[in-house]
Coordinates of all heavy atoms in Angstrom, one line a residue:
M856 N 50.2 -1.4 113.2 CA 48.9 -2.0 113.4 C 48.6 -2.1 114.8 O 49.4 -2.6 115.6 CB 48.9 -3.4 112.7 CG 47.6 -4.1 112.9 SD 47.7 -5.7 112.1 CE 47.1 -6.8 113.4
E857 N 47.5 -1.6 115.2 CA 47.1 -1.6 116.6 C 46.4 -2.9 116.9 O 45.5 -3.4 116.1 CB 46.1 -0.4 116.9 CG 45.7 -0.3 118.3 CD 44.9 0.9 118.6 OE1 45.2 1.9 118.0 OE2 43.9 0.7 119.3
V858 N 46.7 -3.6 118.0 CA 46.1 -4.8 118.3 C 45.1 -4.6 119.5 O 45.5 -4.4 120.6 CB 47.2 -5.9 118.8 CG1 46.5 -7.2 119.2 CG2 48.2 -6.1 117.7
G859 N 43.9 -4.6 119.1 CA 42.8 -4.3 120.1 C 41.9 -5.5 120.3 O 42.2 -6.6 119.8
S860 N 40.8 -5.3 120.9 CA 39.9 -6.4 121.2 C 39.3 -7.0 119.9 O 39.0 -8.2 119.8 CB 38.8 -6.0 122.1 OG 38.0 -5.0 121.5
S861 N 39.2 -6.1 118.9 CA 38.7 -6.6 117.6 C 39.6 -7.6 117.0 O 39.2 -8.7 116.4 CB 38.5 -5.4 116.6 OG 38.1 -5.9 115.4
F862 N 40.9 -7.4 117.1 CA 41.9 -8.3 116.6 C 41.8 -9.7 117.3 O 41.8 -10.7 116.7 CB 43.3 -7.8 116.8 CG 44.4 -8.8 116.5 CD1 44.7 -9.1 115.2 CD2 45.0 -9.5 117.5 CE1 45.7 -10.0 114.9 CE2 45.9 -10.5 117.2 CZ 46.3 -10.7 115.9
W863 N 41.7 -9.7 118.6 CA 41.6 -10.9 119.4 C 40.4 -11.7 119.1 O 40.4 -12.9 119.1 CB 41.9 -10.7 120.9 CG 43.3 -10.2 121.1 CD1 43.7 -9.0 121.5 CD2 44.5 -11.0 120.9 NE1 45.0 -8.9 121.6 CE2 45.6 -10.2 121.2 CE3 44.7 -12.3 120.5 CZ2 46.9 -10.6 121.2 CZ3 46.0 -12.7 120.5 CH2 47.1 -11.9 120.8
R864 N 39.3 -11.0 118.9 CA 38.0 -11.7 118.6 C 38.1 -12.3 117.2 O 37.8 -13.5 117.1 CB 36.8 -10.7 118.6 CG 35.5 -11.3 118.4 CD 34.3 -10.4 118.5 NE 34.4 -9.3 117.5 CZ 34.5 -8.0 117.7 NH1 34.5 -7.6 118.9 NH2 34.6 -7.2 116.7
R865 N 38.7 -11.6 116.2 CA 38.8 -12.2 114.9 C 39.9 -13.3 114.9 O 39.7 -14.3 114.2 CB 39.3 -11.1 113.9 CG 38.2 -10.1 113.6 CD 38.5 -9.0 112.6 NE 39.9 -9.2 112.1 CZ 40.6 -8.1 111.7 NH1 40.2 -6.9 111.9 NH2 41.8 -8.3 111.2
F866 N 40.9 -13.2 115.8 CA 41.9 -14.2 115.9 C 41.3 -15.5 116.5 O 41.5 -16.6 116.0 CB 43.1 -13.7 116.8 CG 44.2 -14.7 116.9 CD1 45.1 -14.8 115.9 CD2 44.3 -15.6 118.0 CE1 46.2 -15.8 116.0 CE2 45.3 -16.5 118.1 CZ 46.2 -16.6 117.1
A867 N 40.5 -15.4 117.5 CA 39.8 -16.5 118.1 C 38.9 -17.2 117.1 O 38.8 -18.4 117.0 CB 39.0 -16.1 119.3
L868 N 38.1 -16.4 116.3 CA 37.2 -17.0 115.3 C 38.1 -17.7 114.2 O 37.7 -18.8 113.7 CB 36.3 -15.9 114.7 CG 35.2 -15.4 115.6 CD1 34.5 -14.2 115.0 CD2 34.2 -16.5 115.9
M869 N 39.2 -17.1 113.8 CA 40.0 -17.7 112.8 C 40.6 -19.0 113.3 O 40.6 -20.0 112.6 CB 41.2 -16.8 112.4 CG 42.1 -17.3 111.4 SD 43.7 -18.0 112.0 CE 44.3 -16.9 113.2
M870 N 41.0 -19.1 114.5 CA 41.6 -20.3 115.1 C 40.5 -21.4 115.2 O 40.8 -22.6 114.9 CB 42.2 -20.1 116.5 CG 43.5 -19.3 116.4 SD 44.8 -20.0 115.3 CE 45.2 -21.5 116.2
A871 N 39.3 -21.0 115.6 CA 38.2 -22.0 115.7 C 37.9 -22.6 114.3 O 37.7 -23.8 114.1 CB 37.0 -21.3 116.2
G872 N 37.9 -21.7 113.3 CA 37.7 -22.2 111.9 C 38.8 -23.1 111.4 O 38.5 -24.1 110.8
V873 N 40.0 -22.7 111.7 CA 41.2 -23.6 111.2 C 41.2 -24.9 111.9 O 41.4 -26.0 111.3 CB 42.5 -22.8 111.4 CG1 43.7 -23.7 111.2 CG2 42.6 -21.6 110.5
L874 N 40.9 -24.9 113.2 CA 40.8 -26.2 114.0 C 39.6 -27.0 113.4 O 39.8 -28.2 113.3 CB 40.6 -25.9 115.5 CG 41.9 -25.8 116.3 CD1 41.5 -25.3 117.7 CD2 42.6 -27.0 116.4
G875 N 38.5 -26.4 113.2 CA 37.4 -27.1 112.6 C 37.7 -27.7 111.3 O 37.2 -28.8 111.0
M876 N 38.4 -27.1 110.5 CA 38.8 -27.6 109.2 C 39.5 -29.0 109.4 O 39.2 -29.9 108.7 CB 39.7 -26.7 108.4 CG 39.0 -25.6 107.7 SD 40.0 -24.4 106.8 CE 41.6 -25.1 106.7
G877 N 40.5 -29.0 110.2 CA 41.2 -30.2 110.5 C 40.3 -31.4 111.0 O 40.4 -32.5 110.5
V878 N 39.5 -31.0 112.0 CA 38.6 -32.1 112.5 C 37.6 -32.6 111.5 O 37.4 -33.8 111.4 CB 37.9 -31.5 113.8 CG1 36.8 -32.4 114.3 CG2 38.9 -31.2 114.9
F879 N 37.0 -31.6 110.7 CA 36.0 -32.1 109.8 C 36.5 -32.8 108.6 O 35.8 -33.6 108.0 CB 35.0 -30.9 109.5 CG 34.2 -30.5 110.7 CD1 34.4 -29.2 111.2 CD2 33.4 -31.4 111.3 CE1 33.6 -28.8 112.3 CE2 32.6 -31.0 112.4 CZ 32.8 -29.7 112.9
I880 N 37.7 -32.4 108.1 CA 38.3 -33.2 107.1 C 38.5 -34.6 107.5 O 38.3 -35.6 106.8 CB 39.7 -32.6 106.6 CG1 39.4 -31.3 105.8 CG2 40.5 -33.6 105.8 CD1 40.6 -30.5 105.5
S881 N 39.0 -34.8 108.8 CA 39.2 -36.2 109.3 C 37.9 -36.9 109.4 O 37.8 -38.1 109.0 CB 39.7 -36.1 110.8 OG 41.0 -35.5 110.7
L882 N 36.8 -36.2 109.9 CA 35.5 -36.8 110.0 C 35.0 -37.3 108.6 O 34.5 -38.4 108.4 CB 34.5 -35.9 110.6 CG 33.1 -36.4 110.7 CD1 33.0 -37.5 111.7 CD2 32.2 -35.3 111.2
L883 N 35.1 -36.4 107.6 CA 34.7 -36.8 106.2 C 35.5 -38.0 105.7 O 34.9 -38.8 105.0 CB 34.8 -35.6 105.3 CG 33.8 -34.5 105.5 CD1 34.2 -33.2 104.7 CD2 32.4 -34.9 105.2
L884 N 36.7 -38.1 106.0 CA 37.5 -39.2 105.5 C 37.1 -40.5 106.3 O 37.1 -41.6 105.7 CB 39.0 -38.9 105.7 CG 39.6 -37.9 104.8 CD1 41.1 -37.6 105.2 CD2 39.6 -38.4 103.4
E885 N 36.9 -40.4 107.6 CA 36.5 -41.5 108.4 C 35.2 -42.1 107.9 O 35.0 -43.4 107.9 CB 36.3 -41.1 109.9 CG 37.6 -41.1 110.6 CD 38.3 -42.5 110.6 OE1 37.7 -43.5 111.0 OE2 39.5 -42.5 110.3
V886 N 34.2 -41.3 107.6 CA 32.9 -41.8 107.2 C 32.8 -42.2 105.7 O 31.8 -42.7 105.3 CB 31.7 -40.9 107.6 CG1 31.7 -40.6 109.1 CG2 31.8 -39.6 106.8
G887 N 33.9 -41.9 105.0 CA 34.0 -42.3 103.6 C 33.3 -41.4 102.6 O 33.0 -41.8 101.5
Y888 N 32.9 -40.2 103.1 CA 32.3 -39.2 102.2 C 33.2 -38.5 101.2 O 32.8 -37.9 100.3 CB 31.5 -38.2 103.0 CG 30.2 -38.7 103.5 CD1 29.4 -37.9 104.4 CD2 29.6 -39.9 103.2 CE1 28.2 -38.3 104.9 CE2 28.4 -40.3 103.6 CZ 27.7 -39.5 104.5 OH 26.5 -40.0 105.0
G889 N 34.5 -38.6 101.5 CA 35.5 -37.9 100.7 C 35.6 -36.4 101.1 O 34.9 -36.0 102.1
T890 N 36.4 -35.7 100.5 CA 36.6 -34.3 100.8 C 36.7 -33.5 99.6 O 36.3 -33.9 98.5 CB 38.0 -34.1 101.6 OG1 39.0 -34.5 100.7 CG2 38.0 -35.0 102.8
D891 N 37.2 -32.2 99.7 CA 37.3 -31.4 98.5 C 38.4 -32.0 97.6 O 39.1 -32.9 98.0 CB 37.6 -30.0 98.9 CG 38.9 -29.9 99.7 OD1 38.9 -30.1 100.9 OD2 40.0 -29.6 99.1
T892 N 38.5 -31.5 96.4 CA 39.5 -32.0 95.4 C 40.9 -31.9 95.9 O 41.7 -32.9 95.7 CB 39.3 -31.4 94.1 OG1 39.5 -29.9 94.2 CG2 38.0 -31.7 93.4
C893 N 41.3 -30.9 96.5 CA 42.7 -30.7 97.0 C 43.0 -31.7 98.1 O 44.1 -32.4 98.1 CB 42.9 -29.3 97.5 SG 44.7 -28.9 97.8
S894 N 42.1 -31.9 99.0 CA 42.3 -32.9 100.1 C 42.3 -34.3 99.6 O 43.1 -35.1 100.0 CB 41.3 -32.7 101.2 OG 41.4 -31.4 101.8
F895 N 41.5 -34.5 98.6 CA 41.5 -35.9 97.9 C 42.8 -36.2 97.3 O 43.3 -37.3 97.4 CB 40.3 -36.0 96.9 CG 40.3 -37.3 96.2 CD1 39.8 -38.4 96.8 CD2 40.8 -37.3 94.9 CE1 39.8 -39.6 96.1 CE2 40.8 -38.5 94.2 CZ 40.3 -39.7 94.8
M896 N 43.4 -35.2 96.6 CA 44.7 -35.4 95.9 C 45.7 -35.6 97.0 O 46.5 -36.5 96.9 CB 45.0 -34.1 95.1 CG 46.4 -34.2 94.5 SD 47.0 -32.7 93.8 CE 47.2 -31.7 95.2
N897 N 45.7 -34.9 98.1 CA 46.7 -35.0 99.1 C 46.5 -36.4 99.8 O 47.5 -37.0 100.1 CB 46.5 -33.9 100.2 CG 46.9 -32.6 99.7 OD1 47.7 -32.5 98.7 ND2 46.5 -31.5 100.3
S898 N 45.3 -36.9 100.0 CA 45.0 -38.2 100.5 C 45.6 -39.3 99.7 O 46.2 -40.2 100.1 CB 43.5 -38.4 100.8 OG 43.3 -39.6 101.3
S899 N 45.4 -39.1 98.4 CA 46.0 -40.1 97.4 C 47.5 -40.1 97.4 O 48.1 -41.2 97.4 CB 45.5 -39.8 96.0 OG 44.1 -39.9 95.9
I900 N 48.1 -38.9 97.5 CA 49.6 -38.8 97.5 C 50.1 -39.5 98.8 O 51.0 -40.2 98.8 CB 50.0 -37.4 97.4 CG1 49.8 -36.8 96.0 CG2 51.5 -37.2 97.8 CD1 50.0 -35.3 95.9
A901 N 49.4 -39.2 99.9 CA 49.8 -39.7 101.2 C 49.7 -41.3 101.2 O 50.6 -42.0 101.7 CB 49.0 -39.2 102.4
T902 N 48.7 -41.8 100.6 CA 48.5 -43.2 100.5 C 49.6 -43.8 99.7 O 50.2 -44.9 100.0 CB 47.1 -43.6 100.0 OG1 46.1 -43.0 100.8 CG2 46.9 -45.1 99.9
S903 N 49.9 -43.2 98.5 CA 50.9 -43.7 97.6 C 52.3 -43.7 98.3 O 53.1 -44.6 98.1 CB 51.0 -42.9 96.3 OG 49.8 -43.0 95.7
L904 N 52.6 -42.7 99.1 CA 53.9 -42.5 99.7 C 54.0 -43.2 101.1 O 55.0 -43.2 101.7 CB 54.3 -41.0 99.9 CG 54.4 -40.2 98.6 CD1 54.7 -38.8 98.9 CD2 55.5 -40.8 97.7
T905 N 52.9 -43.7 101.5 CA 52.7 -44.4 102.8 C 53.2 -43.4 104.0 O 54.0 -43.8 104.8 CB 53.4 -45.7 102.9 OG1 54.8 -45.5 102.7 CG2 52.8 -46.7 102.0
V906 N 52.7 -42.2 103.9 CA 53.0 -41.2 105.0 C 51.6 -40.7 105.4 O 50.6 -40.9 104.8 CB 53.9 -40.1 104.5 CG1 55.3 -40.6 104.2 CG2 53.3 -39.3 103.4
G907 N 51.6 -39.9 106.5 CA 50.4 -39.3 107.0 C 49.8 -38.2 106.1 O 50.6 -37.6 105.3
L908 N 48.6 -38.0 106.1 CA 47.9 -37.0 105.3 C 48.3 -35.6 105.8 O 48.5 -34.7 105.0 CB 46.4 -37.1 105.4 CG 45.5 -36.1 104.7 CD1 45.8 -36.1 103.2 CD2 44.1 -36.3 105.0
G909 N 48.5 -35.4 107.1 CA 48.9 -34.1 107.6 C 50.2 -33.6 107.0 O 50.2 -32.4 106.5
P910 N 51.3 -34.3 107.1 CA 52.5 -33.8 106.5 C 52.5 -33.5 105.0 O 53.1 -32.6 104.5 CB 53.5 -35.0 106.8 CG 52.9 -35.7 108.0 CD 51.5 -35.6 107.8
V911 N 51.7 -34.4 104.3 CA 51.6 -34.1 102.8 C 50.9 -32.8 102.6 O 51.3 -32.0 101.7 CB 50.8 -35.3 102.2 CG1 50.5 -34.9 100.7 CG2 51.7 -36.5 102.2
M912 N 49.8 -32.5 103.4 CA 49.1 -31.3 103.2 C 49.9 -30.1 103.6 O 49.9 -29.0 102.9 CB 47.8 -31.3 104.0 CG 46.8 -32.4 103.5 SD 45.3 -32.5 104.4 CE 44.3 -31.3 103.5
V913 N 50.7 -30.2 104.6 CA 51.6 -29.1 105.0 C 52.6 -28.8 103.9 O 52.8 -27.7 103.5 CB 52.3 -29.3 106.4 CG1 53.3 -28.3 106.7 CG2 51.2 -29.3 107.5
C914 N 53.2 -29.9 103.4 CA 54.2 -29.7 102.3 C 53.6 -29.0 101.1 O 54.2 -28.1 100.5 CB 54.8 -31.0 102.0 SG 55.9 -31.7 103.2
L915 N 52.4 -29.5 100.7 CA 51.8 -28.9 99.5 C 51.5 -27.4 99.7 O 51.7 -26.6 98.9 CB 50.6 -29.7 99.1 CG 49.9 -29.1 97.8 CD1 50.8 -29.3 96.6 CD2 48.6 -29.8 97.6
N916 N 51.0 -27.2 100.9 CA 50.6 -25.8 101.2 C 51.8 -24.9 101.2 O 51.8 -23.7 100.8 CB 49.9 -25.7 102.6 CG 48.4 -26.0 102.4 OD1 47.9 -25.9 101.3 ND2 47.8 -26.2 103.5
I917 N 53.0 -25.4 101.7 CA 54.2 -24.6 101.7 C 54.6 -24.3 100.2 O 55.0 -23.2 99.9 CB 55.3 -25.3 102.5 CG1 55.0 -25.2 104.0 CG2 56.7 -24.7 102.2 CD1 55.8 -26.0 104.9
V918 N 54.5 -25.3 99.4 CA 54.8 -25.2 97.9 C 53.9 -24.1 97.3 O 54.3 -23.2 96.6 CB 54.8 -26.5 97.2 CG1 54.8 -26.3 95.7 CG2 55.9 -27.4 97.6
L919 N 52.6 -24.2 97.6 CA 51.7 -23.2 97.1 C 51.8 -21.8 97.7 O 51.4 -20.8 97.1 CB 50.2 -23.7 97.3 CG 49.8 -25.0 96.6 CD1 48.5 -25.5 97.0 CD2 49.9 -24.8 95.1
F920 N 52.5 -21.8 98.9 CA 52.7 -20.5 99.5 C 53.8 -19.7 98.9 O 53.8 -18.4 98.9 CB 53.1 -20.8 101.0 CG 53.1 -19.5 101.9 CD1 52.0 -18.7 102.0 CD2 54.3 -19.2 102.5 CE1 52.1 -17.6 102.8 CE2 54.4 -18.1 103.3 CZ 53.3 -17.3 103.5
I921 N 54.7 -20.3 98.1 CA 55.8 -19.6 97.5 C 55.3 -18.6 96.5 O 55.8 -17.4 96.6 CB 56.8 -20.6 96.9 CG1 57.5 -21.4 98.0 CG2 57.8 -20.0 96.0 CD1 58.3 -22.6 97.5
P922 N 54.4 -18.9 95.6 CA 53.9 -17.8 94.7 C 53.3 -16.6 95.5 O 53.4 -15.5 95.1 CB 52.9 -18.5 93.8 CG 53.3 -19.9 93.8 CD 53.9 -20.1 95.2
Q923 N 52.6 -16.9 96.5 CA 52.0 -15.9 97.3 C 53.1 -15.0 98.0 O 52.9 -13.8 98.0 CB 51.1 -16.5 98.4 CG 50.3 -15.4 99.1 CD 49.3 -16.1 100.0 OE1 49.2 -17.3 100.2 NE2 48.5 -15.2 100.7
L924 N 54.2 -15.6 98.4 CA 55.3 -14.8 98.9 C 55.9 -13.9 97.8 O 56.2 -12.8 98.1 CB 56.4 -15.7 99.5 CG 56.2 -16.2 100.9 CD1 57.3 -17.2 101.2 CD2 56.2 -15.1 101.9
L925 N 56.0 -14.4 96.6 CA 56.6 -13.7 95.5 C 55.7 -12.5 95.0 O 56.2 -11.4 94.8 CB 56.9 -14.6 94.4 CG 58.0 -15.7 94.7 CD1 58.2 -16.6 93.5 CD2 59.3 -15.0 95.0
W926 N 54.4 -12.8 94.8 CA 53.5 -11.9 94.1 C 52.4 -11.3 95.0 O 51.7 -10.4 94.6 CB 53.0 -12.5 92.9 CG 54.0 -12.8 91.9 CD1 54.9 -12.0 91.3 CD2 54.4 -14.1 91.5 NE1 55.7 -12.7 90.5 CE2 55.5 -14.0 90.6 CE3 53.9 -15.4 91.8 CZ2 56.1 -15.1 90.0 CZ3 54.6 -16.5 91.2 CH2 55.6 -16.3 90.3
G927 N 52.1 -11.8 96.1 CA 51.0 -11.3 96.9 C 51.4 -11.1 98.4 O 50.6 -11.3 99.3
R928 N 52.6 -10.7 98.6 CA 53.2 -10.6 100.0 C 52.3 -9.7 100.9 O 52.1 -10.0 102.0 CB 54.6 -10.1 99.9 CG 55.3 -10.1 101.3 CD 56.7 -9.6 101.1 NE 57.4 -10.5 100.2 CZ 58.5 -11.2 100.5 NH1 59.1 -11.0 101.6 NH2 59.0 -12.0 99.6
R929 N 51.8 -8.6 100.3 CA 51.0 -7.7 101.1 C 49.7 -8.3 101.6 O 49.0 -7.7 102.5 CB 50.8 -6.4 100.4 CG 49.9 -6.5 99.2 CD 49.8 -5.1 98.5 NE 49.2 -5.3 97.2 CZ 47.9 -5.5 97.0 NH1 47.1 -5.5 98.0 NH2 47.4 -5.6 95.7
M930 N 49.2 -9.4 101.0 CA 48.0 -10.0 101.4 C 48.1 -11.1 102.5 O 47.2 -11.6 102.9 CB 47.3 -10.6 100.1 CG 47.1 -9.6 99.1 SD 46.5 -10.4 97.6 CE 44.8 -9.8 97.7
I931 N 49.4 -11.4 102.8 CA 49.6 -12.4 103.8 C 49.3 -11.8 105.2 O 49.8 -10.8 105.6 CB 51.1 -12.9 103.7 CG1 51.3 -13.6 102.4 CG2 51.4 -13.9 104.9 CD1 52.8 -13.9 102.1
G932 N 48.6 -12.6 106.0 CA 48.3 -12.2 107.4 C 48.4 -13.4 108.3 O 48.8 -14.5 107.9
V933 N 47.9 -13.2 109.5 CA 48.0 -14.3 110.5 C 47.1 -15.5 110.1 O 47.5 -16.6 110.2 CB 47.4 -13.7 111.9 CG1 47.4 -14.9 112.9 CG2 48.3 -12.6 112.4
G934 N 46.0 -15.2 109.5 CA 45.1 -16.3 109.0 C 45.8 -17.1 107.9 O 45.6 -18.3 107.8
T935 N 46.5 -16.5 107.0 CA 47.2 -17.2 106.0 C 48.2 -18.2 106.6 O 48.3 -19.3 106.2 CB 48.0 -16.2 105.1 OG1 47.1 -15.2 104.5 CG2 48.7 -16.9 103.9
L936 N 49.0 -17.7 107.5 CA 50.0 -18.6 108.1 C 49.4 -19.7 108.9 O 49.9 -20.8 108.9 CB 51.0 -17.7 109.0 CG 51.7 -16.6 108.3 CD1 52.5 -15.8 109.3 CD2 52.6 -17.2 107.2
A937 N 48.3 -19.4 109.6 CA 47.6 -20.4 110.4 C 47.0 -21.5 109.5 O 47.1 -22.7 109.7 CB 46.5 -19.8 111.3
N938 N 46.5 -21.0 108.3 CA 45.8 -22.0 107.4 C 46.9 -22.8 106.7 O 46.6 -24.0 106.3 CB 45.0 -21.2 106.4 CG 44.1 -22.1 105.6 OD1 43.6 -23.1 106.2 ND2 43.9 -21.8 104.4
V939 N 48.0 -22.3 106.5 CA 49.1 -23.1 105.8 C 49.6 -24.2 106.7 O 49.8 -25.3 106.2 CB 50.3 -22.2 105.4 CG1 51.5 -23.0 105.0 CG2 49.9 -21.3 104.3
T940 N 49.7 -24.0 108.0 CA 50.3 -25.0 108.8 C 49.4 -25.7 109.9 O 49.7 -26.8 110.3 CB 51.5 -24.4 109.6 OG1 51.0 -23.3 110.4 CG2 52.5 -23.8 108.6
H941 N 48.4 -25.0 110.4 CA 47.8 -25.4 111.6 C 46.8 -26.6 111.5 O 46.9 -27.5 112.3 CB 47.1 -24.2 112.3 CG 46.6 -24.5 113.6 ND1 47.5 -24.8 114.7 CD2 45.4 -24.6 114.2 CE1 46.8 -25.1 115.8 NE2 45.5 -24.9 115.5
P942 N 45.8 -26.6 110.6 CA 44.8 -27.7 110.7 C 45.2 -29.1 110.3 O 44.7 -30.0 110.7 CB 43.7 -27.2 109.7 CG 44.4 -26.4 108.7 CD 45.5 -25.7 109.5
Y943 N 46.3 -29.2 109.4 CA 46.5 -30.4 108.8 C 47.2 -31.5 109.7 O 46.9 -32.7 109.5 CB 47.3 -30.2 107.5 CG 46.5 -29.2 106.7 CD1 46.9 -27.9 106.4 CD2 45.2 -29.6 106.2 CE1 46.2 -27.1 105.7 CE2 44.5 -28.7 105.5 CZ 44.9 -27.5 105.2 OH 44.2 -26.6 104.5
P944 N 48.1 -31.1 110.6 CA 48.5 -32.1 111.5 C 47.4 -32.8 112.3 O 47.4 -33.9 112.7 CB 49.5 -31.4 112.5 CG 50.0 -30.3 111.6 CD 48.8 -29.9 110.8
R945 N 46.3 -32.0 112.6 CA 45.2 -32.5 113.3 C 44.4 -33.5 112.5 O 43.6 -34.3 113.0 CB 44.2 -31.4 113.7 CG 44.7 -30.8 115.1 CD 45.2 -29.4 114.9 NE 45.8 -28.9 116.0 CZ 47.1 -28.7 116.0 NH1 47.9 -29.0 115.0 NH2 47.7 -28.1 117.0
V946 N 44.5 -33.5 111.1 CA 43.8 -34.4 110.3 C 44.2 -35.8 110.7 O 43.4 -36.7 110.9 CB 44.1 -34.1 108.8 CG1 43.5 -35.3 107.9 CG2 43.4 -32.8 108.4
G947 N 45.6 -36.0 110.8 CA 46.0 -37.4 111.1 C 45.7 -37.7 112.6 O 45.4 -38.8 112.9
A948 N 45.8 -36.7 113.5 CA 45.5 -37.0 114.9 C 44.1 -37.3 115.1 O 43.8 -38.1 116.1 CB 45.9 -35.7 115.7
C949 N 43.2 -36.8 114.3 CA 41.7 -37.0 114.6 C 41.2 -38.3 113.9 O 40.2 -38.8 114.3 CB 40.9 -35.8 114.0 SG 41.2 -34.3 115.0
K950 N 42.0 -38.9 113.0 CA 41.6 -40.1 112.3 C 41.8 -41.3 113.3 O 42.7 -41.3 114.0 CB 42.3 -40.3 111.0 CG 41.9 -39.4 109.9 CD 42.6 -39.8 108.7 CE 42.2 -41.1 108.2 NZ 42.7 -41.6 106.9
S951 N 40.9 -42.2 113.2 CA 41.1 -43.4 114.0 C 42.1 -44.3 113.4 O 42.4 -44.2 112.2 CB 39.8 -44.2 114.2 OG 39.4 -44.8 112.9
S952 N 42.8 -45.1 114.2 CA 43.8 -46.0 113.7 C 43.3 -47.3 113.1 O 44.1 -48.0 112.5 CB 44.8 -46.3 114.8 OG 44.2 -46.9 115.9
G953 N 42.1 -47.6 113.2 CA 41.6 -48.9 112.7 C 40.7 -48.8 111.6 O 40.2 -48.2 110.9

């Protein structure tokens, strides 16, 4: 695979989108609007276990990543790996403590 300027442009846009996901999930939780169903489930699990939302989301994404490794390996790319791990630690970091 040749890495040209098109790759870096797409990579920058992907990273902006992934960072935005973490920030905006935090914002939606802060204002009390809720999030999508998967994030809501993760938020409930995190509250029940008294751990942060970010680690719960990373763990669930890793569990959901296993079938993709088994049956969809050729579809995994940089975006997949970034989406599995990157935005969710920011969810906890962007939330206020009070």
Side-chain angles (χ1 to χ4, degrees):
M856 176 175 131
E857 185 176 318
V858 178
S860 64
S861 174
F862 171 82
W863 291 111
R864 184 176 62 240
R865 289 182 3 213
F866 184 81
L868 289 171
M869 180 262 316
M870 289 304 293
V873 168
L874 272 170
M876 282 180 9
V878 170
F879 292 117
I880 287 172
S881 297
L882 179 65
L883 289 171
L884 290 171
E885 277 301 306
V886 299
Y888 280 173
T890 61
D891 60 277
T892 53
C893 188
S894 297
F895 176 76
M896 178 190 68
N897 291 338
S898 179
S899 298
I900 291 170
T902 301
S903 297
L904 297 176
T905 62
V906 297
L908 177 59
V911 170
M912 293 180 93
V913 170
C914 289
L915 181 65
N916 277 344
I917 290 171
V918 168
L919 294 174
F920 187 61
I921 293 170
Q923 189 172 3
L924 277 173
L925 296 174
W926 297 296
R928 188 175 302 233
R929 64 181 170 79
M930 302 174 107
I931 297 171
V933 176
T935 305
L936 299 175
N938 193 35
V939 166
T940 60
H941 191 64
Y943 305 112
R945 274 112 193 109
V946 170
C949 293
K950 285 184 67 174
S951 71
S952 58

